[in-house]
Amino acid sequence: MPRKIRQLIRDLEDAGFLNRGGRGSHRNYEHPKGRRVTVSGQLGADAQPYQEREVKRAIEDVSK
């Protein structure tokens, strides 16, 4: 079962990413170490596999 967009956002925020705004359903998150991620979609929508991979990689990059 795919995760929801709100779960991906929660994971990013727990890892220290800050919401830098966006346009429409796009949200731009940036970590103080410089890593950026864009998450698109409504909060209750299912996340696409590429979005889950991108968020996972971003969190792994900043936790090194």
Side-chain angles (χ1 to χ4, degrees), residues 2 7 15 20 25 32 36 44 47 50 53-54 62 64:
Q7 293 170 316
R20 294 298 181 198
S25 65
R36 294 181 182 181
Y50 78 89
R53 281 192 306 269
E54 185 177 7
V62 298
K64 291 181 182 178

Side-chain angles (χ1 to χ4, degrees), residues 32-43:
K33 290 185 177 180
R35 182 72 156 92
R36 294 181 182 181
V37 180
T38 299
V39 179
S40 62
Q42 299 299 320
L43 294 177

Side-chain angles (χ1 to χ4, degrees), residues 13-36:
E13 291 175 347
D14 289 346
F17 284 80
L18 301 173
N19 187 352
R20 294 298 181 198
R23 188 174 191 140
S25 65
H26 289 69
R27 296 161 198 85
N28 299 305
Y29 285 86
E30 184 175 10
H31 194 272
K33 290 185 177 180
R35 182 72 156 92
R36 294 181 182 181

